[in-house]
Amino acid sequence: MDAPGNTAQQNQETDEVTTWTGQEVASGYSAIDGSTDRLLGYPFVFRSLGLADGHHHGGTLLDFGSGPGRVADEAARRFGLTVLAADISQAMLETSQQRGNRMLRHHLIVDDTVEELPDGCADLAMCNFVLVCVRQRERLLRMFAEVHRLLRPGGRFTVLNPDHSRVGVRFDCFRLGAPGTVYEAGDPLHVRLKRTDGTWLEIVDTYWPGEVYGELLAEAGFRDIARTAPLLDDALGARLITEETFRDTGKWTAERTMAPFVLFTGTR
Ligand SMILES: C[S@@+](CC[C@H](N)C(=O)[O-])C[C@H]1O[C@@H](n2cnc3c(N)ncnc32)[C@H](O)[C@@H]1O
């Protein structure tokens, strides 16, 4: 099974979806550049959840599939939230714990359930770049059902994923699949991710057409489901880009006309 840290050549030889449970993966993921994610992904998750800078929101945010905890940590610091950082990987949770942020509470997900957490314990929930790690549709539904159980009535849930209709497009920090290849739901999808040192890491995700996320949210019981797919101009318009970041995006091309990510938000 491929994992961040392996060479591109090793990864090209297999179609097995990358597993994320080892220590090597947890460390490898921290070396990912994520420029596009930081500009057109996470800020729009926060916005979809109604979180705004300068407001101490308080309350509790569930981060389902929190990985190394970078985004959980940012949400806790920026918005004064307690974050329930939940993941299937003990190694990821340990990496996250090393941040030393006492606003983060770490939980291991076992069989798609966080057994020790009671119904309705979270005010908000997010699930960022996790669904592409999962091969079976029924498992995605179980995960959404668990988020539904953990959210209080009226709580919002945002799901962020790469838009898999962008196969072959070269975004600043990633490329999905092989240009010209046609994929079907559940197929393995080779993905290249840029590392901070400029080299590329190959992993294998699962291909999911965007509408699957909306369907699954509805099946799990969420209502008022909305879809957004931000472009670079949207980030500018929403003043999510600082002067410094704006200079960095000068060479971006694809992100101006093709949204790299798709976000779905539903209400419990
Ligand atoms: C690509 S990382 C994203 C981490 C984090 N959400 C972020 O945006 O930085 C995917 C994470 O999802 C976790 N994961 C994979 N399958 C999962 C599942 N079935 N349920 C919950 N988490 C899962 C992995 O362990 C990994 O930490």
Side-chain angles (χ1 to χ4, degrees), residues 130-186:
V130 176
L131 306 176
V132 291
C133 306
V134 177
R135 227 29 223 281
Q136 305 84 11
R137 192 184 188 282
E138 60 274 20
R139 184 165 188 201
L140 293 176
L141 184 57
R142 278 204 307 272
M143 291 159 64
F144 281 12
E146 178 64 352
V147 174
H148 191 269
R149 178 184 78 79
L150 295 172
L151 259 184
R152 65 161 169 78
R156 270 197 238 176
F157 175 35
T158 296
V159 175
L160 167 67
N161 285 288
D163 183 342
H164 282 178
S165 69
R166 306 302 188 198
V167 164
V169 178
R170 168 68 163 83
F171 293 108
D172 184 61
C173 74
F174 73 97
R175 196 187 77 184
L176 304 170
T181 308
V182 176
Y183 296 87
E184 293 191 7

Side-chain angles (χ1 to χ4, degrees), residues 28 55 172 231 268:
H55 294 268
D172 184 61
L231 292 166
R268 157 81 156 91

Side-chain angles (χ1 to χ4, degrees), residues 29 41-42 44-46 49 61-67 71-72 87 125-133 157-162 263:
Y29 190 64
Y42 305 124
F44 286 89
V45 173
F46 296 149
L49 293 175
L61 167 68
L62 168 69
D63 186 357
F64 200 88
S66 51
V71 186
D87 205 286
M126 62 183 182
C127 181
N128 304 320
F129 303 127
V130 176
L131 306 176
V132 291
C133 306
F157 175 35
T158 296
V159 175
L160 167 67
N161 285 288
L263 293 90

